[in-house]
Amino acid sequence: MASSSTLPSSSPSAAVSSPPPSLSAIYKKHKVKIEGQRAENDRLARNVVESVGVVAHEMVNSVNSGVANVFAKQKALEEQARLLEDHTKSLTNQSKQWISLLGSFNNALKELGDVESWAHTIESDMRDVAATLLFLQANAGASS
């Protein structure tokens, strides 16, 4: 009988242990677990999408503020360039007027020099005429 003690007994106390779960119970438990994981994955995916949206929005705002700053500076530079161009045109026109005025002044000086030269020539001719007249008068008085 010693060998009978090592055999499992089929007594009513051994039947009290819980029965193994059925296949449908395992499937239902698995299905509930999968649904929970799907719900968690969906929640995490929504969080990721929301976080990416926030990051993208902040990046766009950052880039837009930089672009707006560059655009404002570009507009200011364009305005300054336009003002500089207008000022340069004004100075160019003024320089042209000065050059024209200087040319006219130079021509007037040349004419004045021509008049002065003419006056010296006339004065020299008049001195020659006066000297000739004096010579003639002296010679006419001596011969009479």
Side-chain angles (χ1 to χ4, degrees):
M1 292 243 208
S3 67
S4 69
S5 66
T6 61
L7 292 174
S9 70
S10 54
S11 68
S13 66
V16 175
S17 68
S18 63
S22 67
L23 188 57
S24 65
I26 293 172
Y27 176 72
K28 285 180 184 177
K29 187 177 178 183
H30 176 70
K31 190 174 180 182
V32 167
K33 182 179 174 184
I34 294 297
E35 288 299 322
Q37 287 176 345
R38 280 188 186 147
E40 179 66 13
N41 285 345
D42 288 344
R43 184 186 65 78
L44 291 174
R46 282 191 303 274
N47 286 348
V48 166
V49 168
E50 183 180 321
S51 296
V52 167
V54 168
V55 169
H57 181 71
E58 290 301 318
M59 288 175 66
V60 167
N61 284 343
S62 174
V63 169
N64 282 345
S65 68
V67 168
N69 189 15
V70 167
F71 183 73
K73 287 181 180 180
Q74 180 183 0
K75 284 296 223 181
L77 284 174
E78 287 174 355
E79 179 64 21
Q80 288 178 358
R82 188 189 60 77
L83 290 173
L84 183 61
E85 183 180 3
D86 291 345
H87 190 66
T88 302
K89 285 180 182 177
S90 174
L91 288 176
T92 301
N93 288 337
Q94 190 176 18
S95 295
K96 287 178 182 178
Q97 289 173 350
W98 286 351
I99 289 170
S100 175
L101 183 62
L102 186 61
S104 297
F105 181 70
N106 194 26
N107 287 337
L109 283 178
K110 285 180 184 177
E111 289 175 7
L112 183 61
D114 290 344
V115 168
E116 185 179 2
S117 174
W118 174 79
H120 285 296
T121 304
I122 294 294
E123 182 181 2
S124 174
D125 288 347
M126 288 295 165
R127 283 188 186 151
D128 289 344
V129 168
T132 303
L133 287 176
L134 284 175
F135 177 75
L136 287 175
Q137 184 180 17
N139 283 340
S143 48
S144 8

